[in-house]
Amino acid sequence: MQNPFGNGNDDQNNNNMIPIPPNFAVVKRADGQMRIAKVGFSWTSLIFGMLPSIFRSDWYNFLSMISIQLIMGMGISMAMGETFETAYYIGANICRFIWAGLYNMMYFKHLFNIGYQPADQRSKQLLIENRYLSETK
């Protein structure tokens, strides 16, 4: 298969590997499960909020994100004297920018905690360069 991205992802050991864009990393677990995700700023989280975590079945980060947004909404409600609905809307829009910057890192770190490891050297190097993974792992 031709690799339009030219990132060396179709090596001799795995000729049937799909072409991966240069800013995506592949991680897999010992039982064979594999995840492919973007490294860096999450435009989908900026546009769609918490929906990417639902689509990825990333319930841990989804619950973390919704809890932080609820706490922020309560804090804004108490500080500004607004209704909770208004305060939650303000807090959710502020958090949307925070999640866009952090969500992909949170997703990969959670995957590493449940046993996933980089599938190839290119993915490992990409994750180390972006500080998602320490060099000792």
Side-chain angles (χ1 to χ4, degrees):
M1 169 188 298
Q2 283 188 324
N3 186 346
F5 301 108
N7 57 12
N9 212 17
D10 47 5
D11 58 11
Q12 301 91 324
N13 299 335
N14 203 357
N15 288 329
N16 61 353
M17 186 113 178
I18 60 172
I20 307 286
N23 59 341
F24 279 65
V26 180
V27 293
K28 63 181 173 180
R29 209 164 51 182
D31 64 359
Q33 288 194 18
M34 184 185 316
R35 303 272 192 240
I36 302 171
K38 183 178 183 251
V39 174
F41 190 82
S42 176
W43 288 100
T44 54
S45 290
L46 180 65
I47 296 168
F48 300 112
M50 293 179 283
L51 288 178
S53 61
I54 294 171
F55 296 144
R56 290 179 175 178
S57 297
D58 185 15
W59 305 115
Y60 175 82
N61 284 322
F62 173 74
L63 293 173
S64 298
M65 291 161 67
I66 197 139
S67 300
I68 290 171
Q69 282 187 206
L70 286 170
I71 292 168
M72 184 178 252
M74 286 186 264
I76 291 172
S77 176
M78 289 189 314
M80 294 177 57
E82 294 288 334
T83 63
F84 179 73
E85 292 82 13
T86 304
Y88 181 77
Y89 178 76
I90 293 168
N93 285 323
I94 292 168
C95 284
R96 190 172 283 216
F97 288 96
I98 296 168
W99 302 143
L102 295 177
Y103 177 66
N104 287 334
M105 181 179 60
M106 292 169 32
Y107 179 64
F108 273 109
K109 294 223 178 201
H110 179 64
L111 289 177
F112 297 145
N113 285 338
I114 60 173
Y116 283 84
Q117 294 296 321
D120 57 4
Q121 191 59 34
R122 187 196 67 80
S123 294
K124 183 177 182 178
Q125 190 61 36
L126 179 65
L127 292 166
I128 289 171
E129 286 173 5
N130 287 281
R131 298 187 182 113
Y132 286 22
L133 182 67
S134 65
E135 291 188 43
T136 58
K137 289 191 177 188

